[in-house]
Amino acid sequence: MSEYIFLDTKPRVLQVSELTRAINQLLEGNVPALWVRGEISNLVKAASGHWYFALKDEQAQVRCVMFRHKNQSLDSTIANGSQVELLAVASLYEARGDFQLTVEQLRPAGLGVLYEQFARLKQKLEDEGLFDATCKRALPAFPRRVGIITSPQAAALRDVLTTLKRRLPGVPVILYPTPVQGAGSAEKIADAIQTACERNECSVLILCRGGGSIEDLWSFNEEVVARAIFASAIPIVSGVGHETDFTIADFVADERAPTPTAAAQRAVPDRETLLKGLRDTAQHLLRSQRNRLQNAMQALDYLQRRVVHPAEQLKQKSTVLDQMQQRLQRNFSHGLQQEQWRCKSYTHRLRGAGSDFRRMQDKLVHQSARLVQAMQTGQSRKQVRLATAGQHLGLLNPAQVLARGYSLVQHSDGRLVCAAEQLATGDTLRITFASGWATTEVTERGV
């Protein structure tokens, strides 16, 4: 199509869409993908996920588009003012005839070697524990002096001084001048930190510099600066670059501020805030004192109502004493009457019990005589029964039977012999007499 349009010798009126399409084909076919460096402005992150922005430098700008599938893996810190390098294809947006770059890759400016150095040093220092939160010190609430480490010509210095003067006018400020970019600046920054620590004049140090490219801020990414910050005996606030800028110094410092102005705000308290706090405290104390005074007055009124004149107190006590004396007399009289009545009652009971005592005594004598007679009668009966039982026992005694001429015959094993059938010729027998015993042998038996 493009060859036909531009090589045709016959003049032809083109449609706008034909022209923009032909120019787009020329750009896409003849301009390769290029790396371009510049600053992002007018960034729009559409709801669809696509990014639209302008890439500019001091003299020109160009429209750019980066589609969602290309920007999903990028850091969300990309914003207006970011210095970036991007790989893009030149094209023409045919619908509007706008020249634009279709971005394939995007990275912060200087990402190449410098960013790799940054990443390696950051990982090394992090592994050594220089970023550990437990190593970071708290900033003093009321610093006696504030030290500033920066270039005397830096615009950040004016911002910091203005902020310090506005927030806490009376705090002394000591400047430790040092270059903040260029060859050898990192070593000079480290020397300035060491000098401030050796002189020990300040309670807090502000390490600051204005914004710039990664190359401009590179001094704050040097290892010598990081180790000087970590070894500092004085707490350090890092305020380097803009809010989107991060340096190694920010990670090592005791506190990181997004800007030099913010670093000054972190380093000293706000005078107006302090004054307001003092006013609020004074009002609180006044209210507390007033409340205590009012409470004391109310307590005094209450105590005054309770206070009684000594004469009145004596009169009241006398009245109470009289009442107690009357109660004591009544109680004594009543108790005496009770005891007298109880004594009379016991007397009557004792008198009534005299005749009963004599009657019971006579009954006891009579019962004693009956008991003696019953015991004698019972003893006689028992003696008669005992004699009768003795006679019966004598009659049943085997010794009495044996005494009449009978004998007791037993086998050798002790069995009694009651009949001849229990015997056999040759058995040995034991014969027990009334007096003594003998053994014999059966030679003959009869039935």
Side-chain angles (χ1 to χ4, degrees):
M1 176 67 183
S2 60
E3 293 180 358
Y4 174 79
I5 292 176
F6 292 102
L7 297 179
D8 193 353
T9 56
K10 296 181 180 180
R12 180 185 171 194
V13 178
L14 300 176
Q15 296 289 335
V16 175
S17 59
E18 292 179 329
L19 176 63
T20 56
R21 188 179 305 113
I23 295 174
N24 189 30
Q25 291 175 355
L26 283 173
L27 289 173
E28 292 178 350
N30 295 279
V31 181
L34 301 172
W35 281 99
V36 185
R37 178 176 177 176
E39 178 184 335
I40 291 180
S41 65
N42 299 324
L43 174 63
V44 176
K45 296 181 179 180
S48 61
H50 308 322
W51 291 2
Y52 302 94
F53 57 90
L55 188 69
K56 68 178 183 178
D57 58 15
E58 292 80 359
Q59 299 178 352
Q61 66 178 6
V62 62
R63 292 180 179 274
C64 301
V65 58
M66 190 172 191
F67 295 108
R68 180 177 60 185
H69 65 282
K70 296 292 184 180
N71 63 40
Q72 285 180 338
S73 60
L74 292 180
D75 192 344
S76 60
T77 57
I78 299 297
N80 289 325
S82 299
Q83 295 288 333
V84 297
E85 296 174 354
L86 52 83
L87 177 64
V89 176
S91 62
L92 192 74
Y93 182 50
E94 298 178 12
R96 288 198 304 266
D98 292 339
F99 174 72
Q100 67 179 16
L101 298 179
T102 303
V103 182
E104 300 293 328
Q105 299 180 30
L106 186 147
R107 66 190 184 192
L111 178 65
V113 176
L114 290 180
Y115 187 75
E116 292 176 1
Q117 293 177 5
F118 174 88
R120 285 197 301 269
L121 180 60
K122 181 176 180 294
Q123 187 62 47
K124 174 185 175 182
L125 298 180
E126 185 174 5
D127 294 341
E128 293 182 15
L130 269 68
F131 304 161
D132 196 341
T134 59
C135 298
K136 300 187 182 301
R137 293 153 298 186
L139 302 182
F142 298 95
R144 67 179 189 277
R145 291 188 188 87
V146 177
I148 303 175
I149 300 176
T150 191
S151 171
Q153 291 78 32
L157 176 60
R158 293 190 296 273
D159 296 338
V160 170
L161 292 176
T162 301
T163 302
L164 292 177
K165 184 177 181 181
R166 172 174 51 83
R167 290 178 64 84
L168 199 64
V171 64
V173 178
I174 298 177
L175 174 65
Y176 299 94
T178 179
V180 290
Q181 76 179 77
S185 59
E187 289 75 10
K188 294 179 181 179
I189 293 172
D191 292 340
I193 295 174
Q194 184 177 359
T195 299
C197 293
E198 291 174 352
R199 291 168 59 176
N200 194 24
E201 301 167 314
C202 304
S203 303
V204 64
L205 295 175
I206 298 176
L207 181 63
C208 61
R209 186 205 188 284
S213 64
I214 189 171
E215 293 88 350
D216 296 335
L217 304 179
W218 190 253
S219 298
F220 298 92
N221 291 323
E222 295 285 357
E223 183 174 359
V224 64
V225 174
R227 296 196 179 277
I229 295 174
F230 186 76
S232 172
I234 304 174
I236 295 180
V237 182
S238 174
V240 178
H242 298 301
E243 187 170 354
T244 57
D245 296 324
F246 282 88
T247 64
I248 297 294
D250 293 331
F251 296 107
V252 185
D254 295 289
E255 188 161 343
R256 185 253 175 187
T259 62
T261 301
Q265 294 173 350
R266 305 280 176 84
V268 297
D270 184 23
R271 176 176 178 273
E272 293 300 326
T273 302
L274 294 176
L275 291 176
K276 182 179 181 301
L278 288 175
R279 289 192 295 269
D280 293 343
T281 303
Q283 293 177 359
H284 176 70
L285 290 175
L286 183 61
R287 286 194 300 270
S288 299
Q289 189 65 23
R290 185 183 299 112
N291 291 336
R292 291 186 62 183
L293 181 60
Q294 292 174 353
N295 293 335
M297 293 171 61
Q298 292 178 359
L300 181 61
D301 292 339
Y302 174 72
L303 293 175
Q304 285 178 346
R305 289 193 298 269
R306 295 184 58 188
V307 171
V308 181
H309 193 274
E312 183 64 25
Q313 288 187 350
L314 182 60
K315 182 179 179 180
Q316 293 177 358
K317 296 297 182 183
S318 299
T319 302
V320 173
L321 183 60
D322 293 340
Q323 293 174 353
M324 293 180 66
Q325 186 176 7
Q326 293 173 4
R327 289 177 59 189
L328 181 61
Q329 290 176 350
R330 287 195 302 270
N331 291 336
F332 178 77
S333 300
H334 179 72
L336 181 60
Q337 291 176 358
Q338 291 291 331
E339 293 299 327
Q340 290 175 349
W341 179 84
R342 188 178 294 110
C343 183
K344 291 179 180 180
S345 176
Y346 289 157
T347 301
H348 291 312
R349 290 178 63 184
L350 286 174
R351 289 175 179 174
S355 57
D356 292 340
F357 177 75
R358 285 191 297 270
R359 187 174 60 255
M360 295 301 294
Q361 190 175 15
D362 295 340
K363 186 177 181 181
L364 177 62
V365 172
H366 177 69
Q367 294 293 338
S368 298
R370 291 183 62 189
L371 178 63
V372 171
Q373 185 179 1
M375 290 176 61
Q376 291 175 351
T377 303
Q379 185 177 6
S380 298
R381 290 177 181 176
K382 295 296 183 182
Q383 288 176 348
V384 171
R385 290 181 62 186
L386 179 61
T388 303
Q391 293 175 0
H392 288 129
L393 183 62
L395 295 174
L396 296 175
N397 188 356
Q400 296 293 333
V401 177
L402 293 177
R404 292 199 298 269
Y406 292 96
S407 61
L408 180 65
V409 181
Q410 295 175 289
H411 284 286
S412 59
D413 58 3
R415 290 182 292 114
L416 291 175
V417 177
C418 298
E421 289 82 0
Q422 296 176 340
L423 301 176
T425 303
D427 288 346
T428 300
L429 302 175
R430 177 186 175 94
I431 302 174
T432 302
F433 303 101
S435 176
W437 59 272
T439 59
T440 185
E441 182 179 341
V442 178
T443 57
E444 184 180 0
R445 69 182 182 88
V447 179

